[in-house]
């Protein structure tokens, strides 16, 4: 995500351009290059989003603030690793969602990175579910067939800009950005494998954006993988009996790199910080990754992190924060999918910023359980658009496909094309009632016009659907597990039909909620 991008002008007809690499990511912004009429119903929202995009300070607006809550398996009701994540981005957006099957490649094939580098291609890549944000390089989410999920939060750092690092050889062969998470999704069989692969890629090419923390999790454990622009990275394991609250700030602190079970990092992580004057061993303090690398002010409390801390632990609700939030905390009670959903939906709290805002594009809760078969044990509970006004739909890892209404284009090769993702055709962002995104977006916009007067009725409808899905989960899974023992193909078809049925029921409910 580029640090500073301003709209040239605002009008009823929005002109779009894309910013090419190597400055991180192509993004839709007004320009004089091409015209696209903006529907009247979206004009007010678009003007608002374009206004908030003018802030140079990434902390100055909640609009750019992704958020994650990660619970270890001993901190949850069902023994699952739970990963909750809100994706937020400025501008007029749409998210595609679908499944990419396993793919085979010839010996000697290579992955071409965006800016010139190459990586040897695997002989076969894993199948995965994929939530894609067109025109963005750093906003996609994945869940692969091994139960490894990948999401991210932008975390600014004090490292030099792209050109300075490239001149010093810290960014090589153009660096790596978009492909970091996709290669993890395609190749990692465990979360730890994903962390180690990401580390090798960052060390080899250098990371192109200011900084980011990736959450990489599987049914056994979750890790935070934090990278800065260039070739330094740090990773910390989420304790099994605790929950980690991740805003847009590097939260990995003191690291014992001799404890390889819980900490990993680039070989020169500490030495580089010393050389740059960011850490002084003579001061008598242990090395702290966040204090050394993140963007000053280093100790500024994050209000959304404090809000979630209060919700999860029962701490007194007050602001400013009474004390720092540690890397991991013990929740007041064991957590469930519904509990994480309540946190991701929070629009009020003790701090000045809500956890979910009008620019939240998606909420995801990955329920990752060890019980075989994995096709049933791993579920992606996904909300299209802002979660307080949307509904969670369960997508089991074992689905063969996702309904066609969840993505455009339909052609698999075109959908996977990096060029198509970063430079989408203008029609990508035009409202289309045949796509699920716009059916749910219509509800979000309708509630926005009178939030206090309409949110109650909408939440009542969505809560009833979610309660049925959650309360019926165990019975449904027992049925499909029995089928898996005798006919795995039929079981996968049943999972596919189940997800499609919930999606269609939710879509019809969305249509009924908004008056004609």
């Amino acid at each position: 995500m580029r640090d500073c991008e301003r709209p040239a002008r605002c009008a009823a007809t929005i002109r779009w351009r894309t910013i090419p690499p190597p400055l991180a990511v192509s993004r839709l912004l007004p320009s004089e290059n091409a015209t696209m009429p903006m529907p009247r119903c979206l004009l007010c929202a678009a003007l608002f989003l374009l206004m908030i995009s003018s802030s140079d300070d990434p902390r100055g607006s909640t609009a750019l603030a992704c958020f994650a809550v990660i619970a270890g398996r001993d901190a949850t009701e069902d023994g699952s690793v739970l990963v909750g994540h809100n994706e937020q981005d400025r501008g007029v957006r749409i998210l595609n969602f679908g499944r990419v099957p396993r793919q085979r490649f010839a010996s000697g094939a290579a992955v071409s990175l965006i800016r010139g580098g190459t990586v040897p291609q695997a002989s076969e890549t894993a199948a995965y579910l994929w939530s894609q944000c067109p025109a963005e390089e750093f906003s996609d989410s994945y869940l692969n067939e091994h139960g490894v999920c990948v999401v991210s939060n932008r975390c600014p750092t004090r490292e030099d800009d792209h050109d300075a690092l490239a001149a010093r050889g810290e960014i090589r062969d153009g660096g790596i950005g978009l492909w970091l998470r996709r290669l993890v999704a395609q190749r990692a069989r465990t979360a730890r494998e994903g962390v180690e692969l990401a580390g090798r890629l960052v060390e080899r090419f250098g990371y192109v954006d200011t900084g980011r923390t990736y959450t990489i999790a599987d049914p056994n454990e979750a890790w935070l993988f934090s990278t800065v622009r260039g070739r330094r990275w740090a990773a910390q394991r989420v304790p099994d009996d605790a929950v980690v609250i991740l805003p847009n700030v590097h939260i990995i602190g003191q690291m014992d790199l001799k404890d390889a079970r819980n900490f990993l990092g680039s070989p020169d992580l500490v030495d580089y910080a010393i050389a740059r004057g960011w850490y002084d061993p003579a001061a008598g303090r242990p090395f702290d990754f966040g204090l050394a690398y993140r963007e000053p002010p280093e100790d500024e409390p994050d209000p959304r992190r404090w809000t979630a801390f209060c919700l999860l632990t029962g701490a007194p609700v007050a602001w400013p924060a009474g004390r720092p939030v540690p890397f991991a905390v013990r929740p007041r009670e064991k957590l469930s999918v519904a509990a994480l959903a309540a946190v991701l939906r929070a629009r009020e709290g003790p701090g000045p910023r809500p956890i979910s805002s009008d620019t939240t594009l998606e909420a995801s809760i990955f329920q990752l359980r060890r019980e075989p078969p994995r096709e049933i044990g791993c579920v992606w509970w996904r909300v299209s658009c802002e979660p307080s006004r949307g509904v969670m739909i369960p997508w089991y890892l074992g689905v063969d496909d996702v309904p066609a209404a969840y993505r455009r284009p339909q052609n698999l090769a075109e959908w996977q094309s990096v060029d198509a993702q970063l430079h989408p055709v203008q029609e990508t962002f035009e409202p289309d009632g045949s796509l699920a995104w716009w059916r749910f977006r219509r509800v979000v916009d309708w509630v926005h016009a009178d939030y206090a007067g309409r949110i109650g009725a909408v939440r009542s409808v969505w809560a009833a659907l979610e309660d049925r899905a959650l309360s019926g989960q165990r019975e449904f899974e027992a049925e499909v597990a029995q089928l898996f023992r005798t006919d795995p193909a039929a079981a996968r078809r049943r999972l596919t039909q189940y997800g499609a049925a919930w999606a269609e029921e939710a879509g019809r409910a969305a249509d009924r909620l908004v008056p004609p």
Side-chain angles (χ1 to χ4, degrees):
M1 182 179 295
R2 196 174 176 186
D3 292 346
C4 178
E5 296 169 342
R6 288 189 170 88
R9 61 191 292 264
C10 298
T13 296
I14 299 295
R15 294 177 171 84
W16 305 98
R17 66 179 171 91
T18 54
I19 300 173
L23 293 178
V25 64
S26 300
R27 176 184 298 286
L28 293 176
L29 286 174
S31 166
E32 300 299 325
N33 294 342
T35 60
M36 172 176 134
M38 172 161 284
R40 186 177 300 273
C41 65
L42 293 179
L43 177 58
C44 293
L47 294 175
F48 169 74
L49 294 172
L50 288 166
M51 283 191 295
I52 63 174
S53 74
S54 65
S55 172
D56 291 351
D57 184 354
R59 292 177 305 239
S61 171
T62 312
L64 307 181
C66 297
F67 191 81
V69 182
I70 308 103
R73 67 193 190 202
D74 295 335
T76 63
E77 289 183 348
D78 60 357
S80 62
V81 171
L82 288 176
V83 176
H85 181 262
N86 279 355
E87 178 60 41
Q88 296 187 346
D89 287 286
R90 63 165 75 94
V92 179
R93 295 291 171 198
I94 183 173
L95 294 187
N96 291 313
F97 182 63
R99 180 180 184 272
V100 176
R102 291 181 185 178
Q103 295 176 287
R104 294 180 181 274
F105 297 91
S107 176
V111 176
S112 296
L113 305 184
I114 295 173
R115 302 169 182 91
T118 61
V119 176
Q121 181 60 275
S123 60
E124 184 178 56
T125 54
Y128 51 86
L129 293 172
W130 176 20
S131 179
Q132 178 207 51
C133 187
E136 286 289 343
E137 183 172 356
F138 302 101
S139 299
D140 294 358
S141 303
Y142 295 92
L143 175 63
N144 78 11
E145 65 176 281
H146 307 297
V148 177
C149 76
V150 187
V151 295
S152 79
N153 293 33
R154 183 181 188 270
C155 300
T157 65
R158 65 170 71 192
E159 185 54 281
D160 296 337
D161 64 27
H162 177 281
D163 292 347
L165 289 175
R168 298 205 306 266
E170 295 291 344
I171 292 179
R172 304 169 177 176
D173 297 329
I176 191 165
L178 177 147
W179 272 101
L180 186 68
R181 74 186 74 199
R182 192 182 295 191
L183 287 169
V184 169
Q186 290 179 345
R187 301 183 182 194
R189 290 180 169 269
T190 67
R192 189 183 183 96
E193 275 189 16
V195 168
E196 292 170 344
L197 171 59
R200 291 193 299 271
L201 291 167
V202 168
E203 291 173 27
R204 163 64 181 86
F205 294 100
Y207 194 68
V208 297
D209 198 26
T210 176
R212 185 162 273 98
T213 294
Y214 292 87
T215 300
I216 306 176
D218 66 26
N220 290 301
E221 62 181 0
W223 285 78
L224 266 56
F225 175 89
S226 295
T227 184
V228 302
R229 183 179 282 131
R231 298 189 299 113
R232 273 89 223 168
W233 62 275
Q236 184 169 352
R237 187 179 184 272
V238 175
D240 290 334
D241 62 348
V243 58
V244 169
I245 304 164
L246 177 65
N248 289 88
V249 178
H250 283 305
I251 65 169
I252 295 177
Q254 293 184 9
M255 301 181 68
D256 180 3
L257 291 169
K258 295 179 182 178
D259 178 9
R261 182 177 184 274
N262 294 297
F263 297 96
L264 295 169
S266 49
D268 64 345
L269 183 68
V270 178
D271 291 342
Y272 184 80
I274 294 172
R276 296 300 304 272
W278 300 337
Y279 171 57
D280 181 7
R285 293 194 308 177
F287 173 74
D288 185 303
F289 171 76
L291 290 179
Y293 281 92
R294 70 178 171 234
E295 185 179 64
E298 297 91 349
D299 58 351
E300 180 179 298
D302 183 273
R304 295 174 305 136
R305 195 174 184 217
W306 179 252
T307 297
F309 173 76
C310 295
L311 292 172
L312 293 168
T313 66
V317 177
W319 184 258
R323 59 187 185 276
V325 178
F327 174 80
V329 301
R330 270 64 183 179
R332 176 176 48 186
E333 56 191 15
K334 293 200 172 188
L335 299 176
S336 63
V337 169
L340 256 66
V343 173
L344 296 181
R345 283 172 165 147
R347 291 181 64 89
E348 297 180 0
R353 303 179 191 173
I355 289 174
S356 181
S357 75
D358 289 340
T359 54
T360 304
L361 300 179
E362 170 189 70
S364 296
I365 298 176
F366 299 90
Q367 183 183 22
L368 309 175
R369 293 168 293 175
R370 288 170 288 173
E371 294 79 7
R374 187 138 298 174
E375 291 87 346
I376 300 173
C378 296
V379 191
W380 186 340
W381 297 85
R382 182 175 180 272
V383 184
S384 294
C385 307
E386 197 277 311
S388 78
R389 291 169 277 182
V391 60
M392 291 192 301
I393 296 175
W395 301 100
Y396 280 86
L397 183 56
V399 299
D400 289 320
D401 204 355
V402 172
Y406 276 80
R407 80 166 194 259
R408 182 173 61 185
Q410 290 299 308
N411 179 274
L412 185 62
E414 184 179 353
W415 184 39
Q416 294 181 88
S417 164
V418 171
D419 184 66
Q421 174 165 351
L422 296 184
H423 307 275
V425 297
Q426 296 172 359
E427 291 76 14
T428 300
F429 301 94
E430 291 181 350
D432 181 345
S434 69
L435 296 179
W437 171 266
W438 294 109
R439 295 173 81 178
F440 295 118
R441 182 74 212 187
R442 187 165 169 255
V443 175
V444 168
D445 292 341
W446 180 71
V447 175
H448 180 75
D450 181 10
Y451 191 91
R454 294 171 177 174
I455 188 61
V458 169
R459 284 273 16 112
S460 177
V461 171
W462 293 149
L465 283 175
E466 291 176 359
D467 288 347
R468 279 200 292 121
L470 290 166
S471 62
Q473 184 177 10
R474 181 173 298 181
E475 181 179 351
F476 170 72
E477 290 174 356
E479 168 203 330
V480 181
Q482 178 71 25
L483 187 57
F484 252 105
R485 287 190 277 272
T486 58
D487 192 342
R492 294 182 69 95
R493 289 194 297 272
R494 179 74 179 94
L495 292 173
T496 304
Q497 293 163 359
Y498 184 81
W502 276 111
E504 181 53 31
E505 183 173 355
R508 290 197 302 269
D511 295 340
R512 291 193 298 269
L513 278 168
V514 182

